[in-house]
Amino acid sequence: MRIHSEYQHKSPTQTFLFKSQLPTKSQINIGYGAYENVGKVLSQLGVGKQVLITTQTSIAGSWLEPLVKHIKDSGYEVHILELADGEHCKSIESLISAWNKLQSHSFTRNDTIIALGGGAISDLVGFAGSTYLRGINTVIIPTTLLAQVDASIGGKTAINLENGKNLAGTFYFPNLIIIDPLFLSTLPEQEFLSGLGEIIKYALIEQTVSKETEYKIGTKPLFSILQDIALSPFSKESPFLLNIISCCVKMKLAVVGKDPYEKNLRRCLNLGHTLGHGIEKASQFEISHGEAVSIGLNFALSLAESIGKLNKDDVSNAIALIKGMNLPIDIPNNLNKEKIMQAVLHDKKRENNTIKFVLPEEKLGIVSIDYQIPVNKFREFLTRQ
């Protein structure tokens, strides 16, 4: 199997340190082949000699064996826990399984739990790591594009409850995140496309992030770069992929560093997510997170235009980009909108009879994080979609 051989060693692994007012020492390593050094980095961090790799069946077949070897070669005792694929792993039952596995091998606070997989497994492992012994070392190794640009970064952990997504969780920052585009070589095409939904979200908030944090826009805004890429098929083999991932990571680190507990600015990262989470829940997670977010972005763009926050041309350009990346913009006809509405009403962002909504405004790249839409108005706009 050819795995990005032409790009693997073109640039060294980049290391970013998470900066905030929090007493955290999170380190993010980004680069082709970065995962091969995880054992050496653990040694540098001085963690205990026991490691639990928590992963999912679909990931284990491709990447578990080489990861175990690299960690064992650095002198660590490795244990394995395989959980259900997709969002189904984010359950109370999976959380208890992780706790019991850690307990059965007498893990101490200095030992380490590793998440190998997508955003769902990193959410679950982060929650388990934050609560077992009130906190043990946690390492996130995201294997999907969506997790590499968003879900693995920022310290949010969660499991799903019956009425909605991410309703029980903690803020807990991992000791180490390894972002390696090599993992994307085995990612199904649909999951790769799902990650593009989050990348477009970053393009639509970039100017707000640049204005409010130390993040600086490059010579060309991310939105324009994505427009150029969308003119031809954007694939896992693209030489631009690593730079795009790094751009999104820097953006999220800057936002979370300023607002780690989502009191204010960090809410900008929820653009497209309020409706997106409702769609995921209503579809019983048959619609992927990135696809649901892309539909949510279209909803937010259309809503912004309808109330005069964004002009028609900007909305058309943004929707054209979403379509150009082969992402959906419309709620599927077979999805019950009332079920979506009920899921939204159970979301954390509801306050009394309003829903806090992130909306584009003025021009693409700028968002308002404080728009409150009355529940009845939200329902009315949803029924028209």
Side-chain angles (χ1 to χ4, degrees):
M1 177 176 60
R2 186 170 71 91
I3 305 178
H4 290 281
S5 56
E6 66 269 52
Y7 307 123
Q8 183 174 353
H9 300 296
K10 277 192 173 181
S11 59
T13 297
Q14 301 176 72
T15 297
F16 301 105
L17 297 177
F18 173 67
K19 299 175 183 177
S20 80
Q21 67 269 35
L22 299 175
T24 179
K25 298 179 180 179
S26 288
Q27 176 176 320
I28 301 94
N29 289 359
I30 305 178
Y32 286 101
Y35 90 99
E36 297 173 359
N37 297 314
V38 62
K40 294 177 184 178
V41 178
L42 288 175
S43 297
Q44 293 167 3
L45 294 176
V47 302
K49 287 300 181 181
Q50 286 208 99
V51 171
L52 173 63
I53 300 176
T54 305
T55 188
Q56 295 170 292
T57 305
S58 59
I59 304 299
S62 300
W63 296 105
L64 182 59
E65 185 177 340
L67 180 64
V68 169
K69 181 182 184 304
H70 292 309
I71 296 174
K72 283 185 173 181
D73 285 349
S74 294
Y76 290 89
E77 181 180 347
V78 180
H79 310 280
I80 309 296
L81 175 63
E82 285 190 33
L83 297 173
D85 283 333
E87 283 285 323
H88 300 292
C89 79
K90 288 171 58 173
S91 66
I92 292 174
E93 292 76 17
S94 294
L95 181 63
I96 292 172
S97 293
W99 285 337
N100 286 340
K101 190 78 170 181
L102 293 166
Q103 187 179 46
S104 69
H105 293 289
S106 302
F107 269 54
T108 69
R109 281 185 172 179
N110 201 36
D111 292 319
T112 303
I113 185 170
I114 294 178
L116 176 68
I121 202 73
S122 65
D123 281 354
L124 181 279
V125 166
F127 197 4
S130 72
T131 49
Y132 184 75
L133 300 181
R134 297 195 178 96
I136 65 173
N137 296 315
T138 304
V139 174
I140 308 296
I141 306 179
T143 60
T144 67
L145 181 59
L146 190 150
Q148 290 186 358
V149 300
D150 191 78
S152 67
I153 304 157
K156 280 187 178 181
T157 82
I159 59 172
N160 302 329
L161 300 181
E162 184 177 350
N163 285 323
K165 184 174 176 176
N166 299 336
L167 294 183
T170 60
F171 286 95
Y172 189 71
F173 294 87
N175 303 69
L176 174 67
I177 302 169
I178 301 286
I179 297 175
D180 193 332
L182 285 179
F183 291 123
L184 305 182
S185 63
T186 57
L187 189 68
E189 190 63 26
Q190 198 64 26
E191 289 191 46
F192 182 77
L193 291 176
S194 181
L196 297 179
E198 286 287 357
I199 291 174
I200 293 172
K201 175 203 76 177
Y202 279 107
L204 294 175
I205 66 172
E206 187 174 28
Q207 292 199 41
T208 289
V209 175
S210 179
K211 179 182 177 182
E212 299 292 338
T213 73
E214 62 182 25
Y215 170 83
K216 301 301 178 189
I217 298 174
T219 55
K220 200 171 187 179
L222 180 58
F223 188 86
S224 297
I225 293 171
L226 295 180
Q227 281 183 309
D228 292 342
I229 289 173
L231 295 175
S232 59
F234 180 50
S235 73
K236 308 165 193 175
E237 300 291 337
S238 171
F240 305 108
L241 183 58
L242 181 59
N243 286 338
I244 289 173
I245 292 171
S246 296
C247 176
C248 295
V249 169
K250 291 175 184 177
M251 229 184 289
K252 185 155 189 181
L253 288 176
V255 170
V256 175
K258 188 167 183 179
D259 180 21
Y261 293 130
E262 201 174 309
K263 301 296 184 183
N264 190 15
L265 177 64
R266 186 169 178 172
R267 296 205 299 272
C268 74
L269 299 171
N270 292 325
L271 178 63
H273 284 59
T274 302
L275 182 68
H277 285 169
I279 290 171
E280 285 182 87
K281 175 63 179 174
S283 73
Q284 297 183 317
F285 301 105
E286 291 297 318
I287 297 176
S288 73
H289 179 72
E291 291 172 320
V293 166
S294 72
I295 297 170
L297 291 176
N298 177 50
F299 181 90
L301 288 160
S302 301
L303 178 58
E305 181 186 0
S306 74
I307 60 176
K309 280 185 169 287
L310 203 60
N311 68 56
K312 184 177 181 180
D313 288 343
D314 279 343
V315 171
S316 296
N317 287 336
I319 292 175
L321 176 61
I322 297 170
K323 288 181 177 179
M325 291 294 188
N326 294 317
L327 287 163
I329 62 170
D330 296 319
I331 298 170
N333 292 330
N334 63 349
L335 205 57
N336 187 301
K337 289 183 179 178
E338 185 54 35
K339 286 186 177 180
I340 297 174
M341 189 69 202
Q342 290 305 311
V344 170
L345 292 178
H346 284 98
D347 192 273
K348 303 178 294 297
K349 293 176 278 294
R350 180 186 176 184
E351 290 188 0
N352 299 318
N353 291 319
T354 65
I355 299 169
K356 280 189 176 180
F357 216 76
V358 182
L359 280 186
E361 65 173 7
E362 297 183 38
K363 60 181 180 178
L364 297 178
I366 298 177
V367 291
S368 164
I369 61 174
D370 290 320
Y371 184 74
Q372 295 197 19
I373 179 171
V375 169
N376 62 330
K377 293 293 185 183
F378 184 91
R379 186 190 298 274
E380 178 185 327
F381 197 78
L382 178 62
T383 58
R384 298 204 304 264
Q385 298 301 298

